[in-house]
Amino acid sequence: MATSLSQTPPHPSSTLVNISDDADLRLIRVLAPATSSPSNFEAECTTAIQGGDAAKLLRSVISNGAVAGLLNDEFSFDEAVSAFSLLTVYLDRVDDASVEKELCAALAESVGKIEVTGDDETALVKREKQSGMIAALFNLRSDAVEKVRLLAQIIDLADATALIQGQDRGVSPLADMLDVATLKASLALWGSDTPDEELRGLYQAIVRGMDRVLAILSKDTSGDKTKLKKVKAANECKQKYILFILATYTEESQLDSAAEKYAEEASIGAIRDPVNLFSSQRKLTSLPAVAALQKSKPALHDLLKIFMDGKLQDYRDFTSMPDKNSVFATFSLDESECAKNMCLLSLVSLAAEHEEIPYSVIASTLDIKDDEVEQWVITGVSSGLMEAKMDQLRKVVLVERCVVRQFGSNEWAALKVRLDAWKTNVKGVLDALKHSGNLSVQ
């Protein structure tokens, strides 16, 4: 007769507050059938329990692969997760902190390494159990490094549908947690001393998750009207976390093949869409991993540099070079889309340099007809990169606000000139008010 958790109440509180004196032994009897020698396993665990040796008990469970039995059909999701939660309680009974951390990692690995094949309903339920078990362990741990590692494992085990971005908050708690602001707040709450290598592992898991999301969305033929929104959100999420991955490589000596791969992906992403993540991508070329592309992928690096701070003429000079032009086919870049984006970025650069721009200057800079200027200005304003009004009588564009594509010494000098002018103007106003008697002399 199959063992059922309904016969042995599995709620963690029964162990925590010792409601049942034999709860430990009953849990072992539940796990025993999945081992190669149930009787030996029970005897070994009983000795550990009687001796109060939590570490020995956990090592026995892990080494015998006992957790795998919880994925069987006879246990529901709640039963499997509840039984596993009971196991996690023993970690708090391990006296040595370093051994406790070692066993926590081993327990999580014992769940993650259980091989589940296929994409049918049975396989999906098993993977859901795996993810739920790791989530139970995640919720009970407080160490920042442990939580980062466990969250990465949860993401890898989770069904891709649980990671889909672009949905209303509350639809999927895991997807909500991958929101950059939410995750950053959680990381700060867990502790600020998490090593870059650990964070890199988490960010890589998120990127893998977004790849799985994009894969299922590409096959979706249901007519979902929010599909494009979800695809855009997944691409943006992926690009953000690739940038975070690259930021963990602070020295050239740390660079490896993975860093080069992510640097290439980030560069392609920034070229394909230089607008939506404008602020995040602005310092992309200063990252060591991206700078290294100058040697390994020079054409891609040069094109990225143009998208970061170049203008339309720089782009056209680049595309006219035979040894550079092949970069579009090599990295699956749409040349016409790239040209449109460069026109927009060139307009933004122009707006950053002048507060008032004649239509004729815009037409000349973008190499367009005069009657196309207003549409390009509308596009620029719609992108959020600039705010401007058009004086159609005078044929000029009045720039109210504009992002700066690069902020170096020249931009600081220009800012100083503007601040000095503002200071002079304010002084003039105050002097005028004082002279007219509207400002009392202190």
Side-chain angles (χ1 to χ4, degrees), residues 115 123 145 183 199 232 245-246 253 277 355 393 416 420-421:
E115 187 175 358
V145 171
L183 183 58
L199 292 174
K232 180 183 177 183
I245 291 171
L246 294 175
S253 59
L277 297 178
E355 294 181 357
L393 293 177
K416 182 179 182 302
D420 287 342

Side-chain angles (χ1 to χ4, degrees), residues 30-151:
V30 168
L31 298 174
T35 65
S36 57
S37 178
S39 59
N40 288 341
F41 172 74
E42 284 194 41
E44 186 179 329
C45 291
T46 299
T47 300
I49 291 170
Q50 292 174 344
D53 193 338
K56 182 178 179 180
L57 174 62
L58 287 169
R59 285 196 174 99
S60 181
V61 170
I62 293 166
S63 63
N64 284 280
V67 174
L70 296 176
L71 300 191
N72 293 339
D73 295 342
E74 61 193 287
F75 302 122
S76 69
F77 172 85
D78 288 340
E79 289 174 330
V81 172
S82 293
F84 186 79
S85 295
L86 279 171
L87 273 178
T88 65
V89 172
Y90 294 109
L91 289 169
D92 293 329
R93 300 179 181 180
V94 178
D95 295 331
D96 189 315
S98 61
V99 174
E100 180 185 348
K101 289 184 178 182
E102 172 201 329
L103 290 171
C104 176
L107 190 58
E109 184 182 0
S110 72
V111 175
K113 72 179 183 180
I114 301 172
E115 187 175 358
V116 178
T117 58
D119 292 317
D120 57 11
E121 186 63 27
T122 299
L124 292 176
V125 170
K126 288 183 176 181
R127 292 194 188 97
E128 185 181 7
K129 287 181 182 179
Q130 285 178 293
S131 184
M133 290 177 192
I134 303 298
L137 184 55
F138 170 86
N139 289 330
L140 290 171
R141 306 304 292 168
S142 59
D143 180 80
V145 171
E146 285 182 345
K147 291 186 84 70
V148 164
R149 291 176 179 174
L150 291 169
L151 181 55

Side-chain angles (χ1 to χ4, degrees), residues 278-299:
F278 180 86
S279 297
S280 303
Q281 297 175 151
R282 188 161 50 183
K283 296 181 180 180
L284 184 57
T285 52
S286 66
L287 297 172
V290 176
L293 291 178
Q294 194 164 7
K295 294 180 180 178
S296 60
K297 303 284 191 307

Side-chain angles (χ1 to χ4, degrees), residues 164 213-228 230-231:
I164 293 177
V213 167
L214 290 168
I216 64 168
L217 289 176
S218 68
K219 299 174 183 177
D220 182 11
T221 57
S222 65
D224 180 4
K225 294 181 179 179
T226 64
K227 177 179 175 179
L228 291 179
K230 292 173 181 176
V231 168

Side-chain angles (χ1 to χ4, degrees), residues 195-329:
D196 282 344
E197 292 78 7
E198 300 293 343
L199 292 174
R200 187 186 305 156
L202 172 58
Y203 300 151
Q204 288 172 333
I206 296 174
V207 170
R208 289 192 295 271
M210 289 307 104
D211 281 335
R212 289 191 288 129
V213 167
L214 290 168
I216 64 168
L217 289 176
S218 68
K219 299 174 183 177
D220 182 11
T221 57
S222 65
D224 180 4
K225 294 181 179 179
T226 64
K227 177 179 175 179
L228 291 179
K229 178 184 176 183
K230 292 173 181 176
V231 168
K232 180 183 177 183
N235 276 316
E236 288 187 7
C237 181
K238 177 181 176 180
Q239 182 73 351
K240 287 176 184 177
Y241 282 105
I242 289 178
L243 295 176
F244 290 153
I245 291 171
L246 294 175
T248 65
Y249 293 97
T250 56
E251 303 290 339
E252 189 175 348
S253 59
Q254 298 175 323
L255 302 182
D256 52 19
S257 58
E260 181 178 345
K261 178 179 85 73
Y262 287 119
E264 182 180 313
E265 281 196 66
S267 300
I268 294 171
I271 292 169
R272 282 182 179 154
D273 187 359
V275 175
N276 286 319
L277 297 178
F278 180 86
S279 297
S280 303
Q281 297 175 151
R282 188 161 50 183
K283 296 181 180 180
L284 184 57
T285 52
S286 66
L287 297 172
V290 176
L293 291 178
Q294 194 164 7
K295 294 180 180 178
S296 60
K297 303 284 191 307
L300 180 63
H301 184 273
D302 290 348
L303 182 58
L304 175 65
K305 192 79 170 61
I306 292 171
F307 270 80
M308 291 295 104
D309 55 27
K311 295 185 179 180
L312 184 59
Q313 189 55 52
D314 300 317
Y315 173 78
R316 286 181 172 166
D317 291 342
F318 176 90
T319 58
S320 67
M321 292 184 258
D323 60 325
K324 303 287 188 180
N325 191 263
S326 61
V327 70
F328 297 99

